[in-house]
């Protein structure tokens, strides 16, 4: 069984932090509202004055950016 060391976890966290920092301010806000504040896509859309579909599209774009950044590391 592969055991991940603390240093490996720290590196992964740094990679994730770097990837998140590459997002623009609006993308960071949406990630914060959805994942850390627990808001639904509908609530985020209402808060930002856009549709739920716009939030959904933005999240898909964010996921794509993060996947690409994390694959490089």
């Amino acid at each position: 069984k592969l055991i991940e060391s603390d240093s490996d976890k720290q590196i992964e966290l740094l990679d994730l932090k770097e990837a998140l920092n590459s997002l623009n301010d609006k993308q960071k806000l949406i990630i914060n509202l959805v994942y850390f504040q627990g808001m639904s896509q509908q609530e985020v859309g209402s808060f930002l004055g856009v549709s739920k579909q716009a939030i959904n599209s933005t999240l898909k774009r964010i996921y794509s950016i993060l996947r690409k950044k994390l694959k490089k590391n």
Side-chain angles (χ1 to χ4, degrees):
K1 192 174 190 178
L2 182 64
I3 297 175
E4 194 170 22
S5 72
D6 285 342
S7 61
D8 289 341
K9 289 178 186 177
Q10 287 176 339
I11 290 169
E12 287 179 6
L13 286 173
L14 289 173
D15 289 345
L16 179 57
K17 185 175 181 179
E18 182 180 314
L20 289 169
N21 282 334
S22 74
L23 300 175
N24 67 39
D25 289 341
K26 183 177 179 183
Q27 292 168 331
K28 287 178 191 175
L29 176 61
I30 291 171
I31 287 291
N32 182 44
L33 294 174
V34 171
Y35 289 98
F36 300 108
Q37 303 303 318
M39 293 175 70
S40 69
Q41 290 181 22
Q42 183 67 49
E43 291 169 325
V44 173
S46 294
F47 180 74
L48 296 177
V50 299
S51 68
K52 176 186 174 193
Q53 291 78 15
I55 298 301
N56 187 281
S57 294
T58 301
L59 282 169
K60 286 180 182 178
R61 227 177 353 266
I62 291 169
Y63 300 150
S64 177
I65 291 167
L66 293 177
R67 269 193 299 275
K68 287 177 187 172
K69 294 278 183 186
L70 293 171
K71 268 187 180 179
K72 288 181 182 178
N73 297 327

